[in-house]
Amino acid sequence: MKLIIQIPCYNEEETLGVALAELPRYVPGIDEVEWLVVDDGSGDRTAEIAKSLGVDHIVRFPQNRGLAVGFMAGLEACLKAGADIIVNTDADNQYCAADIPTLIAPILRGEAEIVVGARPIQTIEHFSPIKKYLQGVGSGVVRLASNTKIPDAPSGFRALSRDAAMQINVFNEYTYTLETIIQAGQRGMAITSVPIRTNGYLRPSRLFSSIPAYIRRSVLTIVRIFMVYRPLRFFAIVGCFPFGMGMFLCLRWLMLFFLDDPTRARAPSLIVAAVLILIGVQLWILGLLADLLSVNRKMLEDIQLRLRRKEYDETRDRPKTNGKSLVRRD
C-alpha cells in the first residue's frame, strides 16, 4: 500500500520547507510514503528546495497554469507512480500534517473513496467574519448540488483512493475544491469528512486578492458547476423567474380587463408578458437539451476511466528504478 502526499506550489520557497518538515515518512497501515511537489511555473527556488529536502517526485510547469491544473497534474503523476492513496495538502502549512492518519483512515477501512478535512472555520483567527460566513454559504451550495454532507467544501486537505483519483476531472481553472465534491456526489462515489486541525498563519491566500474578488470568482465557479453537473435543475430554476413574471403580468391584465375598463387594450403589458413567458420556456428547453448532452458526457467519462485504469495499471506494473522522478509539463 503506497501513499503519496502531493503539494501544489507556486513561489513557495519561503514556506515549503516548513510544510515538508511536518510531513510524515511513516503512516500506520501504509507500506510506502512518498512526497510529490507540483511546481506551477514558480519564479523562485521552489523546485530546488523541494529536491534538496528529499521530495520523491517533482512535476514542473514552465509557466503558471493555476491551482486546478496543478492539482490534476499531481493526481496524474501520483497514479503513474503507483499511489494507492493520494493526500493533497498546501505548501503554506495551513493543515496539520499529523492528521494525515485520521484523514486516510476511512479509505483504509473501505468506508470512503474521498475524504475531506473539515477545518474549525469559526476558530481560525485570520479568517474575517465575512469570509467565515461565505465559507458556510459556499459549502451549503455545494452540499445542495452534490447531495453530500461535506461541511468544509473549500478545504484543500483531502485524501483520494486510487480509483477515485482516476474518476476525477476538473474543468475549472480557478480551483478544484468545489468541483471535485460535486463530481463525486454526481458519480455516486463514497465521500465523507473528518475534523482536522490547522497550523499558524504563514502567508495570505493567493487564490484571491480581496473579499469582492473572492465572492465574484466563487459565485461564477458555483454557477458554472451547476450548469455542467445539474443543467436541468439549473435552467429550470432560472427559467421560473421570467416565466413567473410573465404569468403575473398576464393575471394582472386579466384582472384589469374584467375589473377595470375593458376597452383599454393594454397591449404593452401583454407583449412583455409573452416575451417573458417565451424566455422561461426557452430556458426550460435549453435545460432539457443540456441534460441530454450530459448523458453523452457521462459515457465519455466511463470510457476515459477505462483508459486510465489500463494506462496507470500498466505503468504501476513496470519495473521500479530508484523511485525518484522529475517531470516537466507543457
Side-chain angles (χ1 to χ4, degrees):
M1 179 74 71
K2 178 187 283 190
L3 165 68
I4 296 184
I5 306 169
Q6 73 167 35
I7 308 178
C9 296
Y10 178 60
N11 293 334
E12 301 286 3
E13 66 176 1
E14 295 182 0
T15 61
L16 181 58
V18 178
L20 290 175
E22 299 294 326
L23 294 185
R25 279 297 188 179
Y26 170 77
V27 175
I30 300 296
D31 301 315
E32 299 177 74
V33 178
E34 296 180 355
W35 301 345
L36 181 143
V37 162
V38 181
D39 180 11
D40 189 15
S42 298
D44 61 5
R45 298 178 56 253
T46 294
E48 288 78 2
I49 290 174
K51 186 176 181 179
S52 67
L53 293 176
V55 172
D56 302 279
H57 312 279
I58 301 174
V59 179
R60 301 188 68 177
F61 286 110
Q63 60 185 8
N64 183 253
R65 300 286 299 277
L67 179 59
V69 177
F71 172 78
M72 288 302 299
L75 290 189
E76 180 182 352
C78 289
L79 289 169
K80 288 182 177 179
D84 297 291
I85 300 177
I86 301 168
V87 167
N88 185 84
T89 188
D90 283 358
D92 61 358
N93 201 38
Q94 175 187 174
Y95 307 108
C96 183
D99 288 333
I100 288 178
T102 302
L103 191 70
I104 68 172
I107 296 178
L108 291 176
R109 294 194 299 265
E111 299 172 356
E113 297 173 89
I114 299 177
V115 184
V116 180
R119 298 166 292 179
I121 297 293
Q122 299 304 319
T123 63
I124 299 179
E125 295 181 357
H126 63 273
F127 277 16
S128 65
I130 188 170
K131 184 175 181 180
K132 293 177 181 178
Y133 173 75
L134 292 173
Q135 293 271 11
V137 172
S139 296
V141 173
V142 171
R143 287 195 295 271
L144 178 65
S146 62
N147 290 326
T148 62
K149 298 179 180 179
I150 305 302
D152 185 11
S155 171
F157 193 46
R158 52 187 62 192
L160 301 90
S161 69
R162 182 176 180 83
D163 194 62
M166 289 185 187
Q167 298 181 57
I168 291 297
N169 290 296
V170 178
F171 304 107
N172 187 284
E173 296 181 358
Y174 171 55
T175 181
Y176 61 88
T177 55
L178 309 183
E179 186 172 356
T180 50
I181 294 175
I182 293 176
Q183 197 171 118
Q186 291 294 303
R187 294 182 70 90
M189 288 188 278
I191 179 171
T192 189
S193 178
V194 295
I196 54 100
R197 295 165 292 176
T198 57
N199 296 317
Y201 180 70
L202 292 182
R203 62 161 176 78
S205 173
R206 291 180 178 150
L207 275 181
F208 58 93
S209 56
S210 63
I211 292 296
Y214 174 76
I215 295 174
R216 182 176 64 255
R217 300 200 67 169
S218 296
V219 169
L220 290 176
T221 298
I222 291 172
V223 169
R224 188 173 183 272
I225 290 172
F226 257 108
M227 292 176 65
V228 173
Y229 296 103
R230 288 294 183 104
L232 184 58
R233 176 180 292 188
F234 175 81
F235 287 105
I237 293 173
V238 173
C240 283
F241 290 99
F243 185 85
M245 292 173 62
M247 291 301 297
F248 172 78
L249 290 176
C250 284
L251 292 174
R252 176 180 176 274
W253 183 88
L254 288 173
M255 290 177 61
L256 293 175
F257 180 81
F258 289 108
L259 300 178
D260 199 4
D261 184 4
T263 60
R264 294 181 59 185
R266 297 184 179 87
S269 295
L270 281 179
I271 294 173
V272 173
V275 170
L276 289 172
I277 290 173
L278 285 174
I279 291 174
V281 172
Q282 287 176 339
L283 286 171
W284 291 343
I285 294 173
L286 186 60
L288 289 172
L289 294 175
D291 191 60
L292 292 175
L293 289 175
S294 69
V295 175
N296 185 58
R297 175 179 56 79
K298 293 175 182 178
M299 293 176 63
L300 292 175
E301 287 177 347
D302 289 339
I303 295 172
Q304 181 190 56
L305 177 59
R306 292 173 183 270
L307 293 174
R308 281 178 172 175
R309 283 174 174 164
K310 181 179 180 181
E311 176 188 357
Y312 295 143
D313 288 346
E314 287 177 353
T315 303
R316 184 163 62 171
D317 293 337
R318 291 173 186 168
K320 296 182 180 179
T321 54
N322 60 358
K324 305 286 184 178
S325 66
L326 174 61
V327 181
R328 181 178 175 86
R329 299 291 298 271
D330 295 329

